[in-house]
Amino acid sequence: MPEPAEMNGADIGKMAGSGVPGSEGKDPVANGHAENESNPFAEYMWMENEEEYNRQVEEELLEQEFLERCFQEMLDEEDQDWFIPERDLPSVGQIQQQLNGLSVSDGNAEEILRKSILNPEAKEFVPGVKY
């Protein structure tokens, strides 16, 4: 057998295993398919059900999006239920502002006692003790 560098086009075409795989002993046709191939459009048959395939893919994407939304809502609800000090407690500034609004004065004490309807002679209440 001659070296590949010494071969011409006709010699290369006669070599076993040259050209299209599985085409040994078969004459190639201009469109790239063998003459005795049962359906030359077999590789395009998936397009026959393209609309059905697209519908299935769209349903899967919508279902995935729905599940992601539900999961996110669940996480949001869980965050609201949990006690998070940074979010749920007032800040130091707010507490300081509330404390600044408070004042202690005895000037009103006599007026409060005068208007009170409580009995000053009553015994001290102790839970669980019957009088």
Side-chain angles (χ1 to χ4, degrees):
M1 178 167 270
E3 292 295 318
E6 298 171 357
M7 291 183 182
N8 61 22
D11 292 333
I12 293 174
K14 293 178 186 174
M15 285 183 58
S18 66
V20 180
S23 63
E24 292 83 13
K26 299 177 184 173
D27 293 329
V29 181
N31 65 5
H33 296 282
E35 286 180 27
N36 62 353
E37 189 173 328
S38 62
N39 186 355
F41 300 105
E43 63 184 279
Y44 302 105
M45 291 307 290
W46 65 271
M47 290 181 179
E48 178 180 15
N49 298 323
E50 184 175 8
E51 289 81 19
E52 177 68 21
Y53 175 77
N54 287 342
R55 187 187 60 73
Q56 286 177 341
V57 169
E58 187 174 349
E59 283 180 7
E60 289 173 7
L61 290 174
L62 290 173
E63 182 178 344
Q64 182 180 3
E65 181 182 332
F66 175 74
L67 289 174
E68 288 174 1
R69 277 196 325 256
C70 289
F71 189 72
Q72 188 60 43
E73 285 179 21
M74 181 185 69
L75 290 176
D76 293 344
E77 287 176 6
E78 191 174 274
D79 283 347
Q80 291 173 356
D81 292 343
W82 284 46
F83 175 75
I84 301 172
E86 296 84 21
R87 181 191 70 196
D88 298 333
L89 291 178
S91 68
V92 174
Q94 291 172 329
I95 293 173
Q96 186 67 37
Q97 203 172 25
Q98 290 174 353
L99 288 174
N100 288 340
L102 296 177
S103 65
V104 178
S105 66
D106 287 336
N108 272 343
E110 289 181 20
E111 184 179 330
I112 293 173
L113 287 175
R114 201 170 19 95
K115 291 181 180 178
S116 173
I117 56 171
L118 296 177
N119 181 2
E121 304 296 323
K123 293 182 182 179
E124 183 180 349
F125 173 75
V126 179
V129 176
K130 294 183 180 181
Y131 297 102

